[in-house]
Amino acid sequence: MLLQASMIALAGSLAGYCISTLTRGAISREIRARMTAETLRQTAEAQADQDMLTELPNRRNFFRRLRERLERGRAGGEEFVLGVVDLDGFKSINDSYGHTVGDLLLIEVAARLRDAGGGNGLVSRLGGDEFAILIDGARNDEQLHGHGDTIRESIASPYLISDIEFSVSASVGFVRSTIADLDETGLIERADFAMFRAKANGSGTVIFSHEHEEDLEQIGRVEQALRSSDKEAEMSVVFQPQVDIASGETTGFEALARWNSPSLGNVRPDVFIAAAERTGLIEEMTPILLGKALKIARDWPGDIKLSFNLSIRDIMSSTAIDKLCRIIEASDIDPARLEFEVTETLIMSDFETARKSLAKLQTLGARVALDDFGVGYANFGHIDQLDINTIKIDRSFVTRLADGGRTAKVIKTMVDMCATLGVGSIIEGVETEQELDVLQGIGARKVQGYYYSKPMPPDEIPAFLSRRFLARIGGGPASVARAV
Ligand code: G
Ligand code: G
Ligand code: MN
């Protein structure tokens, strides 16, 4: 199934490439004429309040009108609803068919939004593929969901551009002007937040609520504490073993970040890592965490490897990746013992930059792993294009083993495919003996999960390694030599 899916993905991108090359010529001629007129208009409109591409009111204009509406509201005027509409899947059309097609699509989206926005709705372009609407008057949840559906349906019907059919979908976030006493930035932020929620859970339309306000406050507290944190003192790394199922031997550990904040206590890693990415503080954090992990791993037996997670910002800037390379070089660790984990989603945001950064790590001798494989694109083509060394099969597969079905076969297909490609595989999230038995049965190689150990502090590692060694050889004096 997976094989088939990845072949379809490959064939799809190939076909897309051919079509886009053929049509690009025709489209660019069409657009060139448009451009000449456009250039003339641009000068005239440079100071104007209009978005030049879609001819909708632009961001600046929208913010001004929003401010006016808020002031009127405060003076006892009518309440209103702010909506933010963001396209899903626009970037991939832009990337594979060119910006010309992207531009034509945006023009059409704008026209549809103008119609669907409703008679009294002011529609504007905030930038990129993000639009805003202002709807006068009070609306209940049901009405807003209905309005969101109308907008999304109008955007979702196919687009015909130079005889090719395209489709995109949209996510919508609404916020009522009465939610709190906010300025225009605060209100847009909340509509954006609702829109991102809609995008993340695939629900289409989300209305900003008081619970969302609490989430925002929590996020604000984490970001604030992170800004003023002493990362060197407050952050640490714990380690989870990776085990070879056949021999039962620990082959390495994955480093996982922990943050004990003096004001917030222990903050969940997914929460503070997301906050660090949003605020850009990850650029300061990753070198500190990597430094700590390397220093600890230096004391391990020479055959034990270290895996380390990287974020999007770590590999999207050459300054950031160069800094990490220097830290690796300055450590006493053989880079061949290091593996850096990145996710596919992260790589796809800018494939070429990601490829260059990962190649820098590999030039040093380090390895690269694709983390959480199978939940995102699951494109086996990426393994080749990026020269990936290891695939980490997402733990959701092991979780689904209990349901029976074909999950075991899907895992086996992935493991076998990795073996054929000469790529390592690690199955994540193994929690029970039963799961381990199934995995052993299908010829899985390496696993990671609570069954062997939860992430542990560094001082527990020597005892863990010697215990596992004793278990393997059945105890005895020889094992003591290995116990560090
Ligand atoms: O430990 P766990 O709850 O520990 O980790 C949650 C998430 O945070 C995982 O997706 C993991 O990949 C990520 N993560 C853990 N440590 C780090 C780190 O040092 N850097 C980055 N970028 N991500 C990390
Ligand atoms: O995204 P990444 O694979 O880096 O995430 C590692 C995360 O998985 C960490 O949060 C770690 O604590 C968690 N984890 C590791 N083993 C298991 C397991 O067996 N079960 C569950 N539920 N989580 C696990
Ligand atoms: Mn990981």
Side-chain angles (χ1 to χ4, degrees):
M1 220 167 58
L2 243 146
L3 233 176
Q4 207 174 18
S6 50
M7 292 321 276
I8 292 169
L10 267 176
S13 49
L14 249 173
Y17 178 77
C18 297
I19 295 170
S20 66
T21 315
L22 290 174
T23 51
R24 234 178 237 178
I27 296 165
S28 54
R29 275 191 297 283
E30 184 175 315
I31 226 35
R32 218 171 289 136
R34 209 182 261 268
M35 294 281 268
T36 321
E38 194 65 38
T39 322
L40 293 172
R41 205 145 26 106
Q42 273 184 18
T43 346
E45 285 177 357
Q47 307 299 329
D49 271 352
Q50 206 176 36
D51 170 55
M52 286 170 308
L53 182 72
T54 61
E55 297 179 351
L56 289 175
N58 64 16
R59 185 183 186 88
R60 191 177 47 172
N61 187 347
F62 186 76
F63 267 69
R64 201 188 58 237
R65 296 212 203 177
L66 187 55
R67 188 161 53 240
E68 286 165 7
R69 287 304 315 267
L70 281 167
E71 278 160 14
R72 248 192 285 156
R74 267 187 219 109
E78 197 187 18
E79 62 176 281
F80 62 93
V81 179
L82 165 67
V84 164
V85 180
D86 193 276
L87 303 183
D88 313 318
F90 175 72
K91 191 179 168 350
S92 68
I93 293 182
N94 222 14
D95 288 350
S96 37
Y97 293 92
H99 288 224
T100 317
V101 169
D103 283 357
L104 290 171
L105 191 89
L106 287 174
I107 291 170
E108 177 63 21
V109 166
R112 291 185 193 184
L113 267 179
R114 219 184 270 125
D115 294 338
N120 73 0
L122 167 70
V123 179
S124 309
R125 183 177 178 213
L126 292 180
D129 60 352
E130 194 176 33
F131 299 84
I133 39 175
L134 269 188
I135 306 160
D136 288 320
R139 295 284 194 285
N140 65 28
D141 281 10
E142 198 185 325
Q143 288 169 319
L144 280 183
H145 278 292
H147 200 64
D149 289 344
T150 311
I151 290 174
R152 291 190 307 109
E153 280 158 21
S154 86
I155 289 181
S157 55
Y159 299 76
L160 202 65
I161 299 172
S162 299
D163 293 332
I164 306 174
E165 209 177 274
F166 293 91
S167 47
V168 285
S169 54
S171 300
V172 182
F174 286 119
V175 62
R176 295 187 178 91
S177 61
T178 48
I179 185 101
D181 188 17
L182 297 162
D183 64 3
E184 61 276 16
T185 316
L187 207 60
I188 291 245
E189 252 171 37
R190 280 156 183 81
D192 255 334
F193 184 83
M195 181 275 292
F196 276 118
R197 277 288 161 94
K199 224 187 243 294
N201 62 25
S203 61
T205 306
V206 166
I207 305 165
F208 191 87
S209 68
H210 289 286
E211 285 89 79
H212 293 140
E213 191 65 44
E214 280 165 29
D215 292 351
L216 263 184
E217 277 162 25
Q218 168 69 11
I219 288 170
R221 277 194 293 274
V222 170
E223 288 185 1
Q224 194 44 46
L226 198 60
R227 273 198 194 89
S228 56
S229 64
D230 175 350
K231 291 166 197 63
E232 194 67 56
E234 297 167 24
M235 301 216 162
S236 59
V237 258
V238 291
F239 297 88
Q240 187 178 38
Q242 299 175 334
V243 179
D244 181 321
I245 330 193
S247 66
E249 250 185 296
T250 300
T251 57
F253 291 89
E254 175 179 1
L256 294 156
R258 293 294 180 262
W259 177 32
N260 186 257
S261 152
S263 56
L264 302 174
N266 286 317
V267 183
R268 272 184 26 210
D270 52 340
V271 171
F272 78 79
I273 284 175
E277 282 170 357
R278 274 194 308 274
T279 52
L281 290 163
I282 193 92
E283 279 183 43
E284 183 190 329
M285 213 168 92
T286 305
I288 292 174
L289 291 168
L290 178 61
K292 285 183 187 250
L294 288 170
K295 198 162 161 233
I296 293 160
R298 209 173 47 190
D299 297 334
W300 299 344
D303 57 342
I304 301 286
K305 301 192 164 50
L306 170 70
S307 294
F308 189 88
N309 294 285
L310 293 180
S311 286
I312 184 153
R313 296 233 193 189
D314 299 323
I315 61 166
M316 286 311 162
S317 110
S318 58
T319 342
I321 197 74
D322 291 346
K323 188 169 178 186
L324 297 179
C325 286
R326 281 198 303 276
I327 292 173
I328 298 166
E329 283 170 324
S331 76
D332 303 332
I333 289 203
D334 176 2
R337 285 174 63 194
L338 306 178
E339 186 156 270
F340 289 90
E341 301 186 4
V342 292
T343 64
E344 237 179 346
T345 333
L346 175 161
I347 283 168
M348 287 315 288
S349 69
D350 184 350
F351 196 82
E352 202 37 44
T353 309
R355 199 187 56 75
K356 281 188 193 138
S357 296
L358 298 178
K360 280 183 185 172
L361 293 168
Q362 287 171 320
T363 305
L364 290 183
R367 296 160 58 88
V368 172
L370 264 192
D371 207 356
D372 308 336
F373 191 79
V375 287
Y377 296 84
N379 187 336
F380 276 88
H382 293 158
I383 299 175
D384 207 25
Q385 290 159 308
L386 290 163
D387 199 14
I388 294 296
N389 306 103
T390 303
I391 296 297
K392 296 192 76 177
I393 298 170
D394 191 75
R395 70 164 177 263
S396 55
F397 289 97
V398 172
T399 309
R400 281 201 302 274
L401 272 181
D403 308 342
R406 287 182 296 190
T407 309
K409 283 186 185 151
V410 174
I411 299 177
K412 181 171 167 32
T413 307
M414 289 196 278
V415 169
D416 290 348
M417 177 104 83
C418 287
T420 309
L421 293 169
V423 167
S425 56
I426 299 179
I427 300 165
E428 293 188 280
V430 180
E431 294 181 1
T432 66
E433 182 113 41
Q434 289 94 303
E435 289 165 352
L436 192 70
D437 285 345
V438 176
L439 296 174
Q440 214 145 20
I442 60 174
R445 317 268 165 116
K446 281 194 203 176
V447 295
Q448 193 179 327
Y450 294 167
Y451 174 74
Y452 285 108
S453 172
K454 291 202 167 175
M456 64 185 107
D459 56 359
E460 289 177 16
I461 289 178
F464 177 84
L465 285 176
S466 57
R467 237 188 354 262
R468 293 213 51 77
F469 184 72
L470 285 169
R472 187 168 61 84
I473 62 158
S479 59
V480 181
R482 177 69 193 277
V484 274

